[in-house]
Amino acid sequence: MTIEATVPETFQGFGIDKPANWNHPKLVQYKRKKINPTDVVVKNIACGLCGSDILTLKADWGTLHRDDAVVGHEIIGHVIAVGDKVTQVKVGDRVGIGAASTSCRSCNRCKHDNEQYCKSGAGTYNSIDKFSDDYITQGGYSSHSIANEQFVFPIPESLDTVHAAPLMCAGLTVYSPLVRSLGTDATGKTVGIIGIGGLGHLALQFANALGAKVVAFSRSSSKKEQAIKLGAHEFVATGEEKDWNKKYDDAFDLILNCASGVDGLALEDYLSVLKVDRKFISVGLPPATKKFEVSPFTFLHQGASFGSSLLGSKTEALQMLELAAEKGVKPWVEEVQLGEEGCHEALTRCDKGDIRYRFVFTGFDKAFA
Amino acid sequence: MTIEATVPETFQGFGIDKPANWNHPKLVQYKRKKINPTDVVVKNIACGLCGSDILTLKADWGTLHRDDAVVGHEIIGHVIAVGDKVTQVKVGDRVGIGAASTSCRSCNRCKHDNEQYCKSGAGTYNSIDKFSDDYITQGGYSSHSIANEQFVFPIPESLDTVHAAPLMCAGLTVYSPLVRSLGTDATGKTVGIIGIGGLGHLALQFANALGAKVVAFSRSSSKKEQAIKLGAHEFVATGEEKDWNKKYDDAFDLILNCASGVDGLALEDYLSVLKVDRKFISVGLPPATKKFEVSPFTFLHQGASFGSSLLGSKTEALQMLELAAEKGVKPWVEEVQLGEEGCHEALTRCDKGDIRYRFVFTGFDKAFA
């Protein structure tokens, strides 16, 4: 059967027309993008809700490019068709797609396990796909997704679909900076994780699974018990323990900020407890206009650096999935029936922080019956 | 002869009483610090003028702790006495002392080639030396200096004293981040150096000597010819070539900021031309109150980091001196007779930027006759 016969021309999804309706997605139909020879077509069965979805829908990260904008980039589904040149997956495979969906695959970055940083690449939604006639990409709150095979990750059999979904963005986003700073065996290293939320609750688990000593940072002690359960060896309530940094002199090989707010984050305190030549990496992203103020002096005494990190490579995604399967890393999820009502409720609650720690939409067959 | 018989109890130097007199040092006499078993006593013969001297004298980096404050931390001299436990240098050696003069030598940092980051360490001037009864240290615009042997660097015979002096602070400050980011063989790597001044003119030479491709950045093209002579392979006048960053896509393994101002520095442009997972390191330090504003987004697209770096270790200092001797790295210096007049003139001119690229005080015998 040809691809054209297998894959519908029109996909369905839950989309919004304008930022004011950010938490009121409606059922929409849209023409799918063309299928390139290295593309994989997936019939979706689950999709996690990522904080980026809300920031995009509200246009806090820039313009919304469609009036039927569908978000979602923690997608799990089954491959239903592949382009002629696809070699990495086959029809029937259960796979995931994260926040990036294509790249040039020929630049220096693409050739060296940094395809997520390709300057010609496209995000999974609200992004211009140069390799598909400038199609504006659509996310996974939808019936189907199409991505270049480099961005399609086979899911190990032992991982449940609902647990695999949040690994596609949140998981990979924290896993990549962890292994780039600590290596795949972090025994003897100490890592600090700031913020126990969608990203942080996975960072705690992965840092522990990699063998590091893990210290969780949160404003209050309300999440202490959960943090310990998630893999933290120590817990610091920075708002309740004013001199906490005195306890951690020259202690950290990495501090990973998973909190999305920058207000009141005591960057200088965190930098003061790093070992020499180490990094503070922020993967929690605030609205684009919010800034940290930093003086070179802040960094001087530890030779410290402040940076960020974008997703992870396919190589890292496969390592991560293997580690999750082996060590039982599992997002804490709340399942939600995909639909107008479910999208509304989950987006609204997530925006208020009323979630521990990830919504995953399921029931796609029913939603698109 | 005992140390007490060899080393005078009182040293002489050119010091100031208060920040308002920053460029009017007067001849002062002061009691030297005690000599510890691992200390080395040096009779000074030359001292470079570092931008830090001015920032300290003006109290731009914090309080001036003495009313006879002597600065200077690019010191060259001859060893005239050593403590009982000194093993690394001997009386008669020509040595240098940089911006740090002691540390605990027992902490993790001291034991792993990061003694300059020791949290108990002391700077060469205006710093509290915990290992010498909280003596407030005095710099090298003076007859003698005393430092822990770990901070005393033998000078290779082929290096002239006036050329060795600026390597003690400026040289080491740029050499350390270069080798920590690029390794000691930087062949095939590309480094950007911002600011052609006291630090930058040495960074260009060392980056070239390490084998890197070197791109010099300056606001105007006025220093282009000099930058090329110093070792730059390419030159960018950022104020004259508005889209310069388009030419350097995915190009840099390191960008080293040697400019002391942060105003108008287009941090985002520089970060945009880094390869993935690379650093922008600022060794040029502005007054403590000046800040960069950064958003995590700025760093995201390259997985970039912003950081700083403090001096270098003794291991790096010895490597640097060897490389300088081998490859002919030479600061461009203007010699100045040490004295009240010379200090006044050199400090005033340096503050105005009227120097290419380093003043070195000499004539110490005459100054302290």
Side-chain angles (χ1 to χ4, degrees), chain A residues 109 119 180 249 292 294 306, chain B residues 119 249-250 277 294 306:
Chain A
R109 294 176 176 199
K119 294 193 177 185
R180 289 188 185 205
D249 186 47
F292 286 108
V294 291
F306 168 94
Chain B
K119 293 193 177 184
D249 185 47
D250 200 37
D277 285 332
V294 291
F306 168 93

Side-chain angles (χ1 to χ4, degrees), chain B residues 26-75:
Chain B
K26 302 290 172 203
L27 184 64
V28 295
Q29 304 217 340
Y30 52 90
K31 200 169 172 306
R32 67 162 165 82
K33 84 170 196 74
K34 72 168 185 171
I35 300 163
N36 290 313
T38 48
D39 279 348
V40 175
V41 185
V42 175
K43 186 165 186 296
N44 300 335
I45 57 174
C47 187
L49 192 168
C50 175
S52 314
D53 299 352
I54 296 177
L55 288 155
T56 300
L57 292 170
K58 288 183 170 180
D60 276 340
W61 279 358
T63 312
L64 204 60
H65 293 307
R66 298 181 64 127
D67 62 4
D68 57 353
V70 175
V71 295
H73 57 207
E74 297 185 332
I75 304 166

Side-chain angles (χ1 to χ4, degrees), chain B residues 147-367:
Chain B
N148 183 295
E149 64 174 335
Q150 186 66 18
F151 298 87
V152 176
F153 314 134
I155 306 298
E157 213 175 323
S158 63
L159 289 183
D160 291 342
T161 291
V162 290
H163 293 138
L167 301 183
M168 297 301 100
C169 176
L172 191 54
T173 296
V174 300
Y175 180 82
S176 176
L178 286 171
V179 293
R180 289 188 186 206
S181 281
L182 307 172
T184 50
D185 179 1
T187 311
K189 297 190 175 151
T190 303
V191 57
I193 307 292
I194 306 173
I196 323 297
L199 292 167
H201 93 291
L202 288 170
L204 292 172
Q205 294 185 66
F206 278 119
N208 183 298
L210 290 165
K213 176 178 165 186
V214 184
V215 181
F217 292 98
S218 192
R219 299 260 165 105
S220 79
S221 49
S222 67
K223 292 182 181 169
K224 178 170 181 175
E225 205 179 314
Q226 294 184 30
I228 301 295
K229 203 178 284 180
L230 286 160
H233 302 101
E234 296 176 15
F235 182 91
V236 179
T238 54
E240 297 166 15
E241 206 178 325
K242 283 301 173 200
D243 286 341
W244 68 264
N245 56 331
K246 303 241 157 60
K247 271 188 8 201
Y248 288 99
D249 185 47
D250 200 37
F252 290 95
D253 292 280
L254 170 70
I255 296 180
L256 188 64
N257 176 36
C258 297
S260 58
V262 300
D263 301 327
L265 185 76
L267 186 56
E268 314 229 347
D269 286 346
Y270 288 114
L271 293 172
S272 75
V273 294
L274 287 171
K275 292 180 184 166
V276 172
D277 285 332
R278 301 300 198 275
K279 288 181 181 173
F280 176 102
I281 296 179
S282 192
V283 288
L285 288 174
T289 52
K290 295 271 186 176
K291 303 204 172 187
F292 287 108
E293 277 209 335
V294 291
S295 155
F297 276 92
T298 308
F299 298 91
L300 194 64
H301 298 293
Q302 272 63 247
S305 307
F306 168 93
S308 192
S309 169
L310 183 66
L311 314 177
S313 67
K314 182 167 193 170
T315 300
E316 288 165 340
L318 301 182
Q319 279 173 2
M320 169 191 74
L321 289 165
E322 203 176 315
L323 185 70
E326 183 196 330
K327 302 272 188 176
V329 171
K330 272 187 195 164
W332 292 8
V333 304
E334 188 173 325
E335 260 183 86
V336 178
Q337 169 63 49
L338 184 65
E340 294 182 357
E341 196 186 313
C343 285
H344 173 71
E345 191 199 326
L347 288 167
T348 307
R349 282 184 51 200
C350 183
D351 187 53
K352 285 190 210 151
D354 176 22
I355 171 64
R356 289 194 179 172
Y357 287 99
R358 213 70 177 171
F359 289 115
V360 176
F361 296 111
T362 53
F364 280 51
D365 278 343
K366 187 174 163 193

